[in-house]
Amino acid sequence: MQSSFILIVIAAYFLLLMFISYLTSRKGSDNDAFFRANKSSKWYVVAFAMIGTSISGVTFVSVPGMVRNLDMTYMQMVLGFFFGYIVIAYVLLPLYYKLNLTTIYGYLDQRYGQRSYKTGAWFFLLSKIVGAAARLYLVAFILQSLVFDAWGVPFVVTVIGIILIIWLYSHKSGIKTIIWTDWVQTLLFLTALVLITWQVMTRLDFSWGDAFRAISESPHSRIFVFDDWASTQNFFKQFFSGMFITIVMTGLDQDQMQKNLTIKNLRDAQKNMVSYGFAFAPINFLFLSLGVLLLIYAQQNGIALPEVSDNILPIIASQHLGPVVLGIFVVGIVAAAFSSADSALTALTTSFCVDILEMKKTGDPATERKNVGIRRRVHLVISVVFVIIILIIKAVGSDSIITAIYKLASYTYGPLLGLYFCGLYTKIKPVDKWVPYIAIAAPMICFVFEIAMKQVFGYQVGYELLLINAALTGIGLWILSLKTRNP
């Protein structure tokens, strides 16, 4: 009965997405609509849609779950996120609009050269496809356990089905459709978050005031860590890591920036970014507050919590809070997952077509039709790659997917941060053909450094690895520039 109910909810949700896709693709499904939404998006629509892209299904289950082991210290990183959005709005967006870019990595071509440009694009493709697949894996795993295991459906079939749904509603108009599907999905998962929190409060017989007091008095309400420099949760590590992670995972990420570049002018794009940054903190605080309430509820009702923290919310929602909460949870997590994955799939297709295949708008109808066909094939191939990576992640496994995603970002976005920082704030001109080797060497050195620090000094390197990675890239670029200086 439960699995049938969930399947009906998902089917209704899919029909809603297909209807939105139909409406948005009626007036055109060419490459300009797919890549840039014909530069016609409203900033307030994009701002709301971007919340859904950032707060994925992983956030929906991982952030409440991480409270058990890390308390509410994640808010330190969230505070850093906001200042990262300010940097994006007033440093990176003016650059992108000035250059009138389709993909943001075109800047690297103009600043350094072709090899650097391709390096940036490939690092984005690697980072995004693995990170997005990790986010989607968690949702596929939850749906598998809630629905498809009972029917004997293999996990690979579940994953293919999810990717197929995303492909069906996004393959025609791309970002033009995604902005509106993400807008609807953001509304749905935020509504689900509030309703689940309210339902847990009702089961605890809490008013909003009672809930606030219970959360503030909980030992898990700790936010700031100033006294332990060795801890990965130290405030300064978390804050500055959050700031720079935002700069690289949003400002240097084609997925996030593609939505901004669909807005007609820079001023409106900056409004979008700042308002989006303001919204991020209270939403994450509510996720963490829900995590504290879930721990209180489990303790009062003698519920044995799962070993994996990511499973706390799914198990309590599906087994202890009734069918209404289960339905709300399914809508919320599917909405959050799809809004992240569909955007990533579109951005990856755009970057591969424009940056790797060097597809440009020609004005020739025959060439444009050919390019649309190529873009659709690329979109399909990337969808297949998504499936393969999700299956690999399942085989490897991870206790906390969100931690794994941020650690991956520290390795793969570090070279991008170094390239952009040196490009914007220095006048160095490295030898372009050697830049890919520097970008590959920096993460490898970081990996050795991380292991050495733990084994020799007992120091656990956290997200500050991103800054070390970027610094190594910058040093490498400076060394390469020595050969181009005038004697």
Side-chain angles (χ1 to χ4, degrees):
M1 181 63 182
Q2 174 178 290
S3 58
S4 300
F5 170 70
I6 295 174
L7 195 61
I8 291 170
V9 171
I10 294 173
Y13 187 75
F14 170 59
L15 291 175
L16 172 63
L17 296 179
M18 289 303 298
F19 178 66
I20 295 171
S21 176
Y22 167 74
L23 292 178
T24 55
S25 61
R26 284 186 305 169
K27 295 183 179 180
S29 57
D30 60 5
N31 281 351
D32 191 51
F34 189 97
F35 297 151
R36 303 201 300 176
N38 308 117
K39 295 286 284 186
S40 60
S41 300
K42 304 298 183 184
W43 71 266
Y44 43 86
V45 175
V46 174
F48 195 69
M50 282 183 67
I51 295 173
T53 305
S54 294
I55 299 179
S56 64
V58 172
T59 303
F60 207 94
V61 296
S62 280
V63 173
M66 69 169 53
V67 171
R68 177 172 63 174
N69 297 323
L70 301 175
D71 302 330
M72 299 178 75
T73 56
Y74 182 63
M75 279 303 297
Q76 298 175 122
M77 183 172 281
V78 173
L79 293 174
F81 291 165
F82 173 74
F83 288 92
Y85 294 129
I86 297 298
V87 172
I88 294 167
Y90 295 101
V91 176
L92 293 178
L93 281 179
L95 173 68
Y96 299 153
Y97 271 81
K98 179 182 178 181
L99 299 177
N100 191 30
L101 301 173
T102 299
T103 77
I104 62 175
Y105 309 111
Y107 164 73
L108 298 177
D109 188 16
Q110 299 183 35
R111 176 61 176 83
Y112 298 115
Q114 187 76 0
R115 292 284 187 90
S116 302
Y117 169 38
K118 298 293 185 182
T119 300
W122 276 112
F123 264 86
F124 162 72
L125 290 167
L126 173 65
S127 307
K128 197 64 189 182
I129 200 164
V130 176
R135 290 181 172 93
L136 201 57
Y137 156 75
L138 185 59
V139 177
F141 182 81
I142 291 170
L143 292 178
Q144 181 72 23
S145 61
L146 292 179
V147 182
F148 300 109
D149 275 343
W151 292 349
V153 177
F155 182 73
V156 63
V157 176
T158 302
V159 173
I160 292 172
I162 292 172
I163 297 296
L164 179 62
I165 289 172
I166 294 172
W167 181 84
L168 283 172
Y169 72 77
S170 66
H171 78 283
K172 286 187 177 180
S173 295
I175 196 66
K176 188 175 181 180
T177 296
I178 296 307
I179 287 171
W180 285 105
T181 55
D182 283 2
W183 191 94
V184 172
Q185 290 175 143
T186 300
L187 178 64
L188 289 173
F189 94 72
L190 288 179
T191 303
L193 171 61
V194 173
L195 290 176
I196 291 173
T197 304
W198 175 69
Q199 282 289 323
V200 174
M201 288 167 49
T202 301
R203 297 297 181 104
L204 290 168
D205 198 24
F206 281 175
S207 64
W208 287 102
D210 294 332
F212 178 80
R213 282 190 295 273
I215 292 168
S216 61
E217 293 172 1
S218 169
H220 294 287
S221 64
R222 179 185 62 147
I223 292 178
F224 298 104
V225 179
F226 292 105
D227 56 346
D228 187 358
W229 285 96
S231 171
T232 57
Q233 303 309 116
N234 177 271
F235 171 79
F236 297 101
K237 292 182 184 179
Q238 290 279 298
F239 178 84
F240 287 107
S241 296
M243 178 177 172
F244 282 98
I245 281 175
T246 296
I247 292 171
V248 298
M249 293 188 71
T250 300
L252 304 184
D253 185 297
Q254 175 62 22
D255 180 6
Q256 297 283 6
M257 288 297 99
Q258 188 168 359
K259 290 187 178 69
N260 280 273
L261 296 177
T262 66
I263 300 172
K264 186 173 293 186
N265 59 70
L266 171 62
R267 184 175 178 82
D268 282 350
Q270 290 173 324
K271 290 179 186 176
N272 156 60
M273 186 56 61
V274 174
S275 58
Y276 162 66
F278 269 116
F280 212 64
I283 291 171
N284 276 279
F285 185 78
L286 185 55
F287 273 114
L288 292 168
S289 298
L290 173 59
V292 176
L293 292 174
L294 289 172
L295 294 178
I296 295 172
Y297 179 79
Q299 184 180 24
Q300 288 192 6
N301 292 274
I303 299 173
L305 295 176
E307 291 185 10
V308 178
S309 296
D310 286 349
N311 292 338
I312 292 176
L313 176 57
I315 286 177
I316 293 179
S318 62
Q319 298 180 11
H320 301 281
L321 296 178
V324 174
V325 174
L326 176 60
I328 295 169
F329 170 73
V330 170
V331 170
I333 194 172
V334 171
F338 278 27
S339 62
S340 178
D342 58 18
S343 181
L345 184 58
T346 301
L348 288 163
T349 302
T350 300
S351 181
F352 193 88
C353 289
V354 176
D355 297 324
I356 306 302
L357 300 181
E358 300 183 7
M359 188 180 293
K360 292 181 175 62
K361 189 172 182 178
T362 63
D364 176 53
T367 303
E368 289 300 316
R369 285 194 297 271
K370 180 181 177 182
N371 286 343
V372 169
I374 293 172
R375 181 255 296 169
R376 287 177 174 170
R377 288 194 292 274
V378 170
H379 196 239
L380 182 61
V381 170
I382 291 176
S383 300
V384 173
V385 174
F386 255 88
V387 173
I388 295 171
I389 294 176
I390 290 173
L391 296 178
I392 293 172
I393 292 171
K394 182 179 185 297
V396 174
S398 177
D399 180 27
S400 178
I401 295 294
I402 198 167
T403 301
I405 289 171
Y406 285 145
K407 178 55 70 74
L408 173 69
S410 298
Y411 280 103
T412 55
Y413 282 95
L416 278 173
L417 180 59
L419 283 166
Y420 274 85
F421 182 86
C422 291
L424 291 168
Y425 296 108
T426 74
K427 295 182 179 181
I428 63 173
K429 295 182 179 180
V431 180
D432 180 54
K433 67 178 181 179
W434 296 108
V435 169
Y437 300 101
I438 295 296
I440 294 170
M444 294 175 65
I445 295 171
C446 283
F447 180 73
V448 174
F449 172 78
E450 182 180 10
I451 294 174
M453 289 297 290
K454 185 174 183 179
Q455 292 185 349
V456 178
F457 300 103
Y459 179 84
Q460 182 69 47
V461 179
Y463 302 139
E464 68 269 25
L465 194 67
L466 171 68
L467 303 182
I468 299 170
N469 198 348
L472 289 172
T473 303
I475 293 169
L477 294 175
W478 175 75
I479 293 172
L480 291 180
S481 71
L482 295 177
K483 292 185 178 181
T484 63
R485 292 185 179 181
N486 294 324

